[in-house]
Amino acid sequence: MSKPRVLVTRAVFPDVIERLSQHFAVESNQEDLIFTPDELASRLQGKQGIFLTPSERISADLIDRCPGLKAICNMAVGYNNIDVDAATRAGIVVTNTPDVLNETTADFAWALLMATARRVTESEHWLRAGEWKKWRYDSFLGADVHGATLGIIGMGRIGQAVARRSTGFDMQVIYHNRRPIAPELEARANNARYVDKEELLRTADHVMLVLPYSAETHHTVGAAELALMKPGATLVNVARGGIVDDKALIAALREGRIAAAGLDVFENEPAFDPGFLALKNVVLTPHIASASEPTRRAMAECAEANLVAALSGKTPPNMLNPAAWPGRSN
Ligand code: GLV
């Protein structure tokens, strides 16, 4: 029997390709070319599986054009790049990579919070530019993190990992979520207290966004929300571009309506709004919150395990749409 055919859309650890090749006829892309939707559709003809990254968009139209597809395995926890409903209607299993990146992403959220509140990158750029001539009492005065109120919007597994880290900083944690989490989880998350979004924005010294992107969460933070925040507050987004209205944020940062922002994700990334580059009070990183060596490996291996299971008739460990599974034959 011939092996199922799969496409790996982007460059990935070479050993992942080697292991996938034991199960599948693999078309890889170790040159890391960026495929247009038409190129993706053409490469997917005759393929049963796809191993992809959050950069590739799997739309309903693309799904319609790839009738043989049975499994879409994302190397990411977020899956807003995939039309899961269309996949389910077409009987295609969709998987993601939850949990393996929680702690690494929470570490990075803290890196951005600290860098933003204490102006780490701004002062480093100044030093590198040869501007450091003398010590001054008011050089790069920032905001304290310890003892402050941390407001987390999106209290899933990553949000809770962020909150747990705040105990060493003697912080108060408030959060907003679709619904409150269980009391024992709140207790573990530094006794986090559920509040409505408006109270969170008005009260927090540091606002952290850790919620999934969807039509409902589009522009969760826009001009109106930024106007509610404290003038000295910082905003950190490690979730997804589109959760923040970038134009509104640029205006708020330019006018000093909030103190600073730390951003790992952007609308239309990697083509982010150039308005950010003109601002000193923003820390910008290229969507790397999960990018530690062990975690990116764990994510790749998780996507690999999902693809192998899905195309050998076993329930994939991280299936997002069980409704696609009944009656399935490979
Ligand atoms: C990365 O952005 C992820 O969703 O895993």
Side-chain angles (χ1 to χ4, degrees):
M1 211 176 76
S2 61
K3 289 177 174 174
R5 297 171 65 197
V6 303
L7 175 69
V8 181
T9 58
R10 298 287 305 284
V12 71
F13 299 101
D15 52 289
V16 172
I17 302 286
E18 277 167 36
R19 282 193 304 276
L20 286 173
S21 302
Q22 293 165 18
H23 302 269
F24 308 121
V26 179
E27 178 177 335
S28 62
N29 175 19
Q30 293 299 74
E31 286 172 81
D32 211 30
L33 305 173
I34 303 294
F35 299 140
T36 63
D38 281 344
E39 285 165 347
L40 206 49
S42 131
R43 285 171 190 272
L44 280 171
Q45 296 311 302
K47 304 281 194 309
Q48 285 80 56
I50 177 168
F51 177 123
L52 76 159
T53 78
S55 310
E56 290 81 60
R57 170 120 188 78
I58 307 294
S59 63
D61 174 61
L62 186 79
I63 287 170
D64 279 351
R65 294 161 73 188
C66 304
L69 204 54
K70 292 187 170 127
I72 299 173
C73 299
N74 212 25
M75 188 184 142
V77 64
Y79 50 88
N80 56 294
N81 55 319
I82 302 166
D83 189 328
V84 179
D85 289 342
T88 306
R89 284 195 298 276
I92 301 171
V93 165
V94 182
T95 67
N96 69 339
T97 62
D99 292 325
V100 291
L101 45 56
N102 295 347
E103 302 300 325
T104 297
T105 304
D107 286 350
F108 193 81
W110 271 86
L112 269 187
L113 171 56
M114 297 300 289
T116 302
R118 298 301 308 275
R119 304 173 68 175
V120 173
T121 54
E122 181 189 356
S123 60
E124 192 204 349
H125 292 152
W126 181 83
L127 177 153
R128 284 178 184 269
E131 300 286 343
W132 190 19
K133 307 284 191 256
K134 56 190 178 192
W135 185 93
R136 271 188 63 92
Y137 74 99
D138 60 351
S139 284
F140 295 101
L141 299 181
D144 272 329
V145 176
H146 75 273
T149 296
L150 175 62
I152 301 177
I153 303 186
M155 198 58 144
R157 289 162 291 201
I158 298 172
Q160 291 170 42
V162 169
R164 284 198 301 277
R165 282 159 174 72
S166 70
T167 52
F169 286 79
D170 293 328
M171 297 180 93
Q172 295 78 51
V173 179
I174 53 179
Y175 74 98
H176 185 70
N177 203 35
R178 270 171 302 183
R179 62 188 78 87
I181 59 172
E184 60 272 22
L185 295 178
E186 289 184 341
R188 285 192 66 208
N190 195 12
N191 297 313
R193 186 168 63 86
Y194 183 85
V195 294
D196 65 31
K197 184 172 140 188
E198 190 174 318
E199 182 180 343
L200 185 143
L201 292 164
R202 285 188 195 284
T203 317
D205 300 301
H206 305 290
V207 174
M208 179 85 75
L209 302 173
V210 206
L211 66 167
Y213 179 80
S214 66
E216 292 73 47
T217 64
H218 181 72
H219 288 185
T220 293
V221 174
E225 288 76 18
L226 289 160
L228 292 175
M229 288 174 66
K230 290 181 172 178
T234 59
L235 177 72
V236 171
N237 185 6
V238 289
R240 273 289 181 277
I243 287 175
V244 175
D245 177 344
D246 284 352
K247 287 238 175 297
L249 178 59
I250 288 167
L253 290 168
R254 190 184 296 129
E255 292 159 22
R257 273 186 272 126
I258 64 168
L263 306 172
D264 189 46
V265 286
F266 304 87
E267 291 187 289
N268 308 316
E269 61 181 58
F272 64 93
D273 192 316
F276 282 120
L277 295 177
L279 297 169
K280 291 202 166 103
N281 52 348
V282 66
V283 177
L284 307 168
T285 54
H287 201 149
I288 56 167
S290 64
S292 72
E293 160 89 21
T295 292
R296 282 285 164 89
R297 280 199 166 275
M299 291 165 69
E301 286 164 16
C302 183
E304 172 193 331
N306 281 318
L307 188 55
V308 170
L311 293 186
S312 50
K314 300 191 185 106
T315 307
N318 310 111
M319 182 159 58
L320 291 164
N321 58 345
W325 191 259
R328 177 184 164 82
S329 61
N330 281 296

